[in-house]
Amino acid sequence: MSTVFTVPAFSHPPQGWHSIDWIMINRQVRGLQVRIAKATKEQRWRKVKTLQRLLTRSFAAKALAVRRVTENRGRQTPGIDGELWSTPLAKWKAIGRLQRTGYRPKPLRRVYIPKANGSRRPLGIPTMLDRAMQALYLLALEPVSETRADRNSYGFRPHRSTADAIEQCFVNLSRKSSAQWTMEGDIKGCFDNISHDWLLANIPLDKQVLRKWLKAGYMESNRLFATEAGTPQGGIISPVLANMALDGLEDVLQSHFGRKNTKAAYKTKVNYVRYADDFIITGISKELLEDKVKPIVEAFMAERGLELSPEKTLITHITEGFDFLGQNLRKYNGKMLIKPSRKSLRAHLQKIKSIVRSNRTAEQGNLIAQLNPVIRGWANYHRHVVAKETFGYVDYRVWKLLWRWSCRRHKNRYKRWVRSKYFHTVGGERWVFQSVDVFGKPKRLFKSKSTPIKRHIKIKAEANPYDRNFELYFEQRLIKSWKEKQLHRGKLRMIWTRQKHRCLICKQLFKDHNDWDIHHVVRRTDGGGDEIDNLVMLHVNCHRQLHSLQGDM
């Protein structure tokens, strides 16, 4: 038992990238982040500033920052200097370059990506050094942002998702006594228009470094353009800065219309849900939202250099329904139903159609390999709402596309022959689009309707991953996720076998699949991860007992 619960320490300082002890690095950074979050909660701002300075100057934080920018999806995308850190030596040298003294960020490289409505969204790509510096200071800023965040803000935050935001909308609108009107808020160019003066005055971060990032400018067509407002989309720290700029609106609304579960709040039924820069506000009447709520929101946004889009900020009755995060929320005869939105469905089918058309001469196995991630990903996104009928419709449309694809390849063949070549009966299920690879392994098209509909359990609004009081709560959510999705059964089986099927606390055998919990040897708040060496299985009661002894409860 002692060998499982011990973690090796540094035997000597690292001499190169591959000699870094990442377990100890994570523990050091996480320990400082937990202290920053605690000081923020107590509003000890001088302590916060001291701890942030200590963190950003530490070797551990610099190593993690370099690791982040060299392992994410943008690691092969250079800035204006064309520099990439692709070798262990370059990464090791980069750690020493992360210095505040003499630091001058370079302009961003401006690129454009297409949006769903046909327009293009500008992105600013920093250099590798600037990305690493932003990642470094983000390590110090995120504990503050998580501690001060709005309770019902869900975008660009750890352990939160669109499913949490949709579930909160259901909570606010589903009852008979719930609000009947909603205001869909749309901020005009949120990332491009946030006031620099407001950010510099209100973001608890090194002002000198933050000012340099905001005023760095961008390069386009070999010309330098100044940035007088906004945070660049594409910067690592930009989503957190935007979140912090929008945080506080929930408290402002509650100060005017009453806090949750109070008499004043029951009269107005004003509730707020935000995901990134998209938000909805509920109210008891259209007049309340139009005449009282909207002016408060506009004044709040104006302080930050933002404004609502008059054309896209809509006030809707719940019986008419509205779209939010790709899903449609509407009451049918008094019953709240959330379904995939028509716009999302149309875009999904169009994407599938383009894949099929671009693979007219491809092998069946290659087509299946391209379609499966798209179909499965869309179905998984909508699996928490009323989507079974929509899944069936998607499967029908996909079948029509594939049948046309198959017949086109063999115009002189009978339809019966075409069907027998591409569509098979598997386990009693007919018309299964399936092929066999060179190793004789079948490759089967994924069907949306095979995705089970499962109600999402929303995260607690006050849950903070940097607060040790929520350590056990996040472990329990991880356990539930594992049991429901069964994605890590191989990992669980290895842990179970390693422990010889016994709890490491009481030494008794596990009885069934409901008789165990997963425990992190090194707590997440101390930098522990989900690696198999950091996980053990314990009885539920033994797990609670252990956390009680550690002071987490």
Side-chain angles (χ1 to χ4, degrees):
M1 176 177 173
S2 60
T3 57
V4 177
F5 283 91
T6 57
V7 178
F10 275 126
S11 57
H12 55 79
Q15 301 299 317
W17 182 255
H18 290 312
S19 66
I20 295 176
D21 186 342
W22 292 107
I23 294 177
M24 188 60 66
I25 289 291
N26 278 290
R27 290 188 67 177
Q28 291 176 358
V29 172
R30 197 67 170 183
L32 283 171
Q33 288 179 316
V34 170
R35 292 173 64 189
I36 291 172
K38 183 179 179 181
T40 302
K41 189 175 182 180
E42 297 169 353
Q43 297 189 359
R44 300 167 59 192
W45 299 114
R46 291 184 65 183
K47 182 76 170 178
V48 169
K49 187 175 181 180
T50 301
L51 290 170
Q52 285 182 327
R53 187 185 303 114
L54 183 62
L55 178 62
T56 54
R57 294 181 181 184
S58 68
F59 172 85
K62 293 176 180 179
L64 274 185
V66 173
R67 183 179 180 179
R68 173 170 180 173
V69 300
T70 56
E71 292 184 2
N72 61 15
R73 288 187 298 176
R75 63 185 181 276
Q76 297 297 333
T77 306
I80 62 169
D81 59 359
E83 183 181 13
L84 293 174
W85 298 339
S86 55
T87 65
L89 181 60
K91 297 174 187 178
W92 177 251
K93 289 182 177 180
I95 296 175
R97 294 173 60 187
L98 301 185
Q99 300 290 339
R100 178 182 182 276
T101 304
Y103 170 65
R104 290 192 64 184
K106 294 183 178 179
L108 308 170
R109 182 165 68 90
R110 175 62 63 93
V111 297
Y112 293 89
I113 59 173
K115 296 173 67 174
N117 59 7
S119 60
R120 297 193 304 166
R121 174 182 286 113
L123 285 184
I125 301 178
T127 64
M128 292 296 291
L129 178 61
D130 294 335
R131 273 179 255 175
M133 285 292 286
Q134 289 189 20
L136 174 63
Y137 279 86
L138 180 59
L139 290 171
L141 182 61
E142 193 170 65
V144 180
S145 68
E146 281 299 300
T147 306
R148 299 175 60 189
D150 284 343
R151 288 167 52 86
N152 290 304
S153 162
Y154 299 97
F156 300 122
R157 295 183 61 191
H159 305 292
R160 284 165 169 79
S161 65
T162 54
D164 292 306
I166 292 295
E167 185 62 25
Q168 184 61 37
C169 293
F170 182 85
V171 170
N172 292 339
L173 295 164
S174 60
R175 300 182 183 91
K176 288 184 179 179
S177 59
S178 297
Q180 299 296 306
W181 292 87
T182 61
M183 184 178 82
E184 306 164 61
D186 185 271
I187 303 172
K188 188 184 295 183
C190 177
F191 279 85
D192 297 329
N193 296 311
I194 298 176
S195 167
H196 286 179
D197 292 337
W198 189 94
L199 290 173
L200 290 169
N202 293 276
I203 299 298
L205 196 66
D206 189 309
K207 307 299 181 187
Q208 184 177 343
V209 175
L210 180 58
R211 181 180 288 106
K212 289 179 179 179
W213 286 334
L214 296 175
K215 303 297 184 182
Y218 64 91
M219 294 290 293
E220 185 175 7
S221 302
N222 294 322
R223 291 179 58 195
L224 177 63
F225 294 86
T227 48
E228 301 300 332
T231 62
Q233 295 189 60
I236 289 177
I237 205 170
S238 295
V240 175
L241 293 178
N243 257 344
M244 296 186 75
L246 298 176
D247 281 334
L249 180 55
E250 188 168 15
D251 288 337
V252 170
L253 291 172
Q254 288 181 351
S255 68
H256 283 82
F257 304 103
R259 296 199 169 270
K260 190 176 181 181
N261 299 325
T262 62
K263 190 174 182 179
Y266 183 78
K267 286 182 178 180
T268 57
K269 298 176 183 176
V270 172
N271 294 291
Y272 170 78
V273 180
R274 178 170 66 84
Y275 188 92
D277 57 345
D278 295 324
F279 65 88
I280 67 160
I281 301 174
T282 67
I284 199 169
S285 68
K286 183 177 182 179
E287 292 73 24
L288 174 72
L289 294 174
E290 185 74 47
D291 301 334
K292 295 184 179 180
V293 173
K294 191 175 179 181
I296 292 172
V297 176
E298 289 175 336
F300 177 88
M301 297 297 174
E303 290 180 14
R304 291 148 176 80
L306 302 172
E307 61 177 321
L308 297 178
S309 171
E311 302 82 14
K312 297 181 180 179
T313 300
L314 308 174
I315 297 177
T316 313
H317 196 271
I318 192 62
T319 56
E320 298 176 12
F322 63 94
D323 291 347
F324 186 55
L325 303 178
Q327 296 175 346
N328 180 263
L329 296 85
R330 183 179 175 185
K331 270 190 176 178
Y332 300 83
N333 297 322
K335 183 168 183 170
M336 180 79 173
L337 294 180
I338 304 176
K339 303 178 181 181
S341 69
R342 289 185 178 181
K343 184 178 179 181
S344 175
L345 175 61
R346 189 162 51 245
H348 178 54
L349 293 176
Q350 188 61 41
K351 185 172 184 179
I352 293 174
K353 187 176 181 179
S354 65
I355 292 174
V356 174
R357 282 189 170 181
S358 61
N359 286 274
R360 289 173 177 169
T361 59
E363 292 184 1
Q364 185 182 11
N366 293 338
L367 178 59
I368 292 173
Q370 291 187 50
L371 287 175
N372 275 352
V374 175
I375 298 172
R376 182 181 285 109
W378 191 84
N380 283 337
Y381 180 84
H382 294 284
R383 72 186 185 275
H384 302 300
V385 299
V386 185
K388 207 67 177 179
E389 184 179 340
T390 306
F391 288 170
Y393 176 70
V394 169
D395 289 339
Y396 166 70
R397 290 289 300 271
V398 171
W399 173 84
K400 286 190 69 174
L401 284 170
L402 294 178
W403 177 246
R404 193 178 300 124
W405 177 87
S406 304
C407 292
R408 180 185 177 279
R409 295 162 68 91
H410 306 282
K411 294 182 179 179
N412 297 325
R413 292 282 190 173
Y414 290 111
K415 299 296 187 289
R416 188 185 300 273
W417 183 92
V418 174
R419 174 184 171 180
S420 65
K421 179 174 176 62
Y422 293 104
F423 298 88
H424 309 279
T425 300
V426 180
E429 184 179 357
R430 303 171 63 192
W431 290 93
V432 176
F433 193 70
Q434 179 176 288
S435 69
V436 179
D437 61 18
V438 293
F439 302 104
K441 186 177 179 180
K443 297 177 85 172
R444 181 176 178 177
L445 183 75
F446 180 82
K447 289 192 174 182
S448 298
K449 65 181 180 182
S450 65
T451 303
I453 303 297
K454 183 71 176 178
R455 181 77 175 269
H456 178 73
I457 306 299
K458 188 183 79 70
I459 192 171
K460 287 183 179 179
E462 66 275 9
N464 185 347
Y466 299 101
D467 188 339
R468 286 200 172 103
N469 294 324
F470 289 100
E471 181 73 20
L472 183 60
Y473 171 74
F474 282 110
E475 282 187 349
Q476 294 295 340
R477 284 186 68 86
L478 176 67
I479 293 162
K480 188 174 182 64
S481 173
W482 281 19
K483 286 182 177 179
E484 288 180 356
K485 299 178 183 177
Q486 297 184 351
L487 294 179
H488 298 271
R489 283 298 176 186
K491 185 184 287 189
L492 289 176
R493 193 178 297 111
M494 290 177 65
I495 298 172
W496 185 61
T497 304
R498 181 184 65 188
Q499 298 178 194
K500 299 181 179 179
H501 316 156
R502 294 179 182 273
C503 172
L504 292 180
I505 298 295
C506 65
K507 302 297 185 181
Q508 300 300 307
L509 291 170
F510 296 107
K511 295 178 182 177
D512 53 49
H513 68 282
N514 291 319
D515 193 37
W516 56 267
D517 274 358
I518 286 293
H519 173 70
H520 289 75
V521 179
V522 179
R523 296 178 295 190
R524 286 188 171 196
T525 50
D526 291 333
D530 294 334
E531 302 83 10
I532 191 170
D533 292 336
N534 193 46
L535 302 175
V536 293
M537 293 176 71
L538 305 175
H539 283 122
V540 176
N541 189 61
C542 295
H543 189 203
R544 292 173 181 163
Q545 180 184 26
L546 183 59
H547 273 279
S548 178
L549 293 173
Q550 292 178 340
D552 290 339
M553 299 182 68

